[in-house]
Amino acid sequence: MTAPMTADRVARRVTDLLAPQVLVIAMPPAVGLAERGWSGAVWGLLASLLCGGVPTAVIAIGVRSGRLDSHHIVDRARRTGPLLAAVAAVLVALLLLVVLGAPRLLVATVTAMLAALAVTVPVTLRWKISFHAAVSAGTAVVLAHVLPPVPTVAAGAAVVALVCWARVRLAHHTPGQVVAGALAGTLVTWATLAAFGVER
């Protein structure tokens, strides 16, 4: 009995620490800092506030009011409102970053977020694709453009695999749903950065 309980506890911790909201808030300042130093980090904080902060607040209000089951929104049918709020927040962030002249990689990163939502939101209306897997995979792709690529890709793949395991372990997703999420996050992010001409 002890081993399964320990595994479940680890899975819950991984799910919380590497939740989409956490990664979307943490990644932009890191990207901005790597590309343009502290001024870039400030741009990243603006992106974090809108792309991560607004959806997080919407979800928190939903959980507090009882409309949402948790900040992970396990019930697929309840995802539509928070996801539309996320789309709106990311779109506003992207427009501000473009108009105000934010660093190119940061604009590309936020564009990748919007593109990933454009792919995954319609899917989740019919099938519970994993946003945890998609966001963790997309984050790994972006970080591989600002950090040494080989160790970053290796570490990123391990983290994505851990996230996928946790989601399946907690019975929040099937193996197919986490694999689909990881592939969507990887491919959409890579394609978006390539379209911006962002290369190592």
Side-chain angles (χ1 to χ4, degrees):
M1 194 65 150
T2 304
M5 286 298 291
T6 300
D8 287 348
R9 198 155 47 239
V10 171
R12 282 192 292 270
R13 185 64 60 86
V14 169
T15 287
D16 288 339
L17 292 178
L18 298 174
Q21 304 96 309
V22 174
L23 295 179
V24 169
I25 288 172
M27 179 181 50
V31 171
L33 181 64
E35 187 180 12
R36 198 178 287 182
W38 291 111
S39 64
V42 173
W43 283 110
L45 286 173
L46 172 61
S48 292
L49 178 64
L50 290 169
C51 298
V54 170
T56 298
V58 169
I59 292 170
I61 292 169
V63 171
R64 193 171 298 118
S65 67
R67 292 194 307 273
L68 300 177
D69 49 56
S70 74
H71 61 284
H72 298 304
I73 317 180
V74 177
D75 182 0
R76 179 180 61 82
R78 301 283 184 173
R79 288 180 165 188
T80 304
L83 285 174
L84 291 178
V87 170
V90 173
L91 185 56
V92 170
L94 180 59
L95 290 173
L96 281 176
L97 293 175
V98 170
V99 169
L100 297 176
R104 181 179 180 81
L105 180 55
L106 193 57
V107 172
T109 298
V110 175
T111 302
M113 291 182 193
L114 188 61
L117 286 169
V119 170
T120 53
V121 169
V123 173
T124 202
L125 296 179
R126 294 182 173 273
W127 188 63
K128 195 180 175 187
I129 192 169
S130 173
F131 283 92
H132 275 75
V135 174
S136 62
T139 298
V141 172
V142 172
L143 292 180
H145 282 74
V146 296
L147 299 174
V150 174
T152 304
V153 168
V159 169
V160 172
L162 181 63
V163 169
C164 291
W165 166 82
R167 301 305 285 158
V168 173
R169 174 72 196 186
L170 295 174
H172 291 170
H173 289 286
T174 65
Q177 290 165 347
V178 295
V179 169
L183 286 175
T186 299
L187 295 175
V188 170
T189 304
W190 178 85
T192 303
L193 296 184
F196 270 78
V198 176
E199 299 180 8
R200 284 298 306 179

PDB file of all heavy atoms in Angstrom, residues 4 29 31 64 104 123 131 133 148-149:
ATOM      1  N   PRO A   4       2.140   2.507  -3.818  1.00  0.00           N
ATOM      2  CA  PRO A   4       1.184   3.256  -4.618  1.00  0.00           C
ATOM      3  C   PRO A   4       0.885   4.645  -4.053  1.00  0.00           C
ATOM      4  O   PRO A   4       0.751   5.606  -4.790  1.00  0.00           O
ATOM      5  CB  PRO A   4      -0.061   2.367  -4.600  1.00  0.00           C
ATOM      6  CG  PRO A   4       0.460   0.992  -4.356  1.00  0.00           C
ATOM      7  CD  PRO A   4       1.639   1.184  -3.449  1.00  0.00           C
ATOM      8  N   PRO A  29       9.591  35.534 -18.437  1.00  0.00           N
ATOM      9  CA  PRO A  29      10.711  36.306 -17.896  1.00  0.00           C
ATOM     10  C   PRO A  29      12.062  35.639 -18.154  1.00  0.00           C
ATOM     11  O   PRO A  29      13.059  36.325 -18.406  1.00  0.00           O
ATOM     12  CB  PRO A  29      10.414  36.367 -16.386  1.00  0.00           C
ATOM     13  CG  PRO A  29       8.944  36.169 -16.287  1.00  0.00           C
ATOM     14  CD  PRO A  29       8.603  35.205 -17.380  1.00  0.00           C
ATOM     15  N   VAL A  31      12.817  33.740 -20.740  1.00  0.00           N
ATOM     16  CA  VAL A  31      13.112  33.955 -22.161  1.00  0.00           C
ATOM     17  C   VAL A  31      13.583  35.389 -22.389  1.00  0.00           C
ATOM     18  O   VAL A  31      14.581  35.631 -23.077  1.00  0.00           O
ATOM     19  CB  VAL A  31      11.876  33.650 -23.020  1.00  0.00           C
ATOM     20  CG1 VAL A  31      12.100  34.081 -24.471  1.00  0.00           C
ATOM     21  CG2 VAL A  31      11.553  32.160 -22.964  1.00  0.00           C
ATOM     22  N   ARG A  64     -13.184  28.841  -6.353  1.00  0.00           N
ATOM     23  CA  ARG A  64     -13.753  29.403  -5.121  1.00  0.00           C
ATOM     24  C   ARG A  64     -15.276  29.430  -5.163  1.00  0.00           C
ATOM     25  O   ARG A  64     -15.948  29.210  -4.161  1.00  0.00           O
ATOM     26  CB  ARG A  64     -13.204  30.810  -4.893  1.00  0.00           C
ATOM     27  CG  ARG A  64     -13.468  31.360  -3.498  1.00  0.00           C
ATOM     28  CD  ARG A  64     -12.720  32.651  -3.249  1.00  0.00           C
ATOM     29  NE  ARG A  64     -11.287  32.484  -3.320  1.00  0.00           N
ATOM     30  CZ  ARG A  64     -10.491  33.101  -4.203  1.00  0.00           C
ATOM     31  NH1 ARG A  64     -10.996  33.920  -5.102  1.00  0.00           N
ATOM     32  NH2 ARG A  64      -9.192  32.901  -4.197  1.00  0.00           N
ATOM     33  N   ARG A 104      12.043  39.946 -30.017  1.00  0.00           N
ATOM     34  CA  ARG A 104      11.487  39.077 -31.059  1.00  0.00           C
ATOM     35  C   ARG A 104      11.153  37.676 -30.534  1.00  0.00           C
ATOM     36  O   ARG A 104      10.086  37.140 -30.819  1.00  0.00           O
ATOM     37  CB  ARG A 104      12.493  38.976 -32.206  1.00  0.00           C
ATOM     38  CG  ARG A 104      12.015  38.121 -33.375  1.00  0.00           C
ATOM     39  CD  ARG A 104      13.082  38.099 -34.461  1.00  0.00           C
ATOM     40  NE  ARG A 104      12.694  37.302 -35.600  1.00  0.00           N
ATOM     41  CZ  ARG A 104      11.900  37.709 -36.575  1.00  0.00           C
ATOM     42  NH1 ARG A 104      11.390  38.930 -36.527  1.00  0.00           N
ATOM     43  NH2 ARG A 104      11.584  36.920 -37.590  1.00  0.00           N
ATOM     44  N   VAL A 123      -9.829  20.830 -29.876  1.00  0.00           N
ATOM     45  CA  VAL A 123      -9.716  19.402 -29.593  1.00  0.00           C
ATOM     46  C   VAL A 123     -10.355  19.065 -28.252  1.00  0.00           C
ATOM     47  O   VAL A 123     -11.102  18.092 -28.118  1.00  0.00           O
ATOM     48  CB  VAL A 123      -8.244  18.949 -29.605  1.00  0.00           C
ATOM     49  CG1 VAL A 123      -8.121  17.491 -29.133  1.00  0.00           C
ATOM     50  CG2 VAL A 123      -7.642  19.096 -30.996  1.00  0.00           C
ATOM     51  N   PHE A 131      -3.348  19.451 -21.487  1.00  0.00           N
ATOM     52  CA  PHE A 131      -2.699  20.760 -21.524  1.00  0.00           C
ATOM     53  C   PHE A 131      -1.394  20.741 -20.731  1.00  0.00           C
ATOM     54  O   PHE A 131      -0.450  21.456 -21.070  1.00  0.00           O
ATOM     55  CB  PHE A 131      -3.646  21.833 -20.988  1.00  0.00           C
ATOM     56  CG  PHE A 131      -4.691  22.234 -21.974  1.00  0.00           C
ATOM     57  CD1 PHE A 131      -5.925  21.600 -21.996  1.00  0.00           C
ATOM     58  CD2 PHE A 131      -4.446  23.221 -22.912  1.00  0.00           C
ATOM     59  CE1 PHE A 131      -6.893  21.950 -22.916  1.00  0.00           C
ATOM     60  CE2 PHE A 131      -5.409  23.580 -23.842  1.00  0.00           C
ATOM     61  CZ  PHE A 131      -6.636  22.941 -23.848  1.00  0.00           C
ATOM     62  N   ALA A 133       0.756  18.309 -20.674  1.00  0.00           N
ATOM     63  CA  ALA A 133       1.762  17.782 -21.595  1.00  0.00           C
ATOM     64  C   ALA A 133       2.096  18.792 -22.684  1.00  0.00           C
ATOM     65  O   ALA A 133       3.270  18.979 -23.033  1.00  0.00           O
ATOM     66  CB  ALA A 133       1.269  16.470 -22.205  1.00  0.00           C
ATOM     67  N   PRO A 148      21.715  26.073 -23.677  1.00  0.00           N
ATOM     68  CA  PRO A 148      22.441  25.068 -24.464  1.00  0.00           C
ATOM     69  C   PRO A 148      21.487  23.969 -24.929  1.00  0.00           C
ATOM     70  O   PRO A 148      20.828  23.321 -24.100  1.00  0.00           O
ATOM     71  CB  PRO A 148      23.481  24.543 -23.473  1.00  0.00           C
ATOM     72  CG  PRO A 148      23.725  25.698 -22.552  1.00  0.00           C
ATOM     73  CD  PRO A 148      22.383  26.377 -22.405  1.00  0.00           C
ATOM     74  N   PRO A 149      21.375  23.748 -26.252  1.00  0.00           N
ATOM     75  CA  PRO A 149      20.299  22.904 -26.772  1.00  0.00           C
ATOM     76  C   PRO A 149      20.334  21.434 -26.376  1.00  0.00           C
ATOM     77  O   PRO A 149      19.284  20.873 -26.024  1.00  0.00           O
ATOM     78  CB  PRO A 149      20.428  23.056 -28.293  1.00  0.00           C
ATOM     79  CG  PRO A 149      21.811  23.569 -28.519  1.00  0.00           C
ATOM     80  CD  PRO A 149      22.163  24.362 -27.316  1.00  0.00           C
TER      81      PRO A 149
END
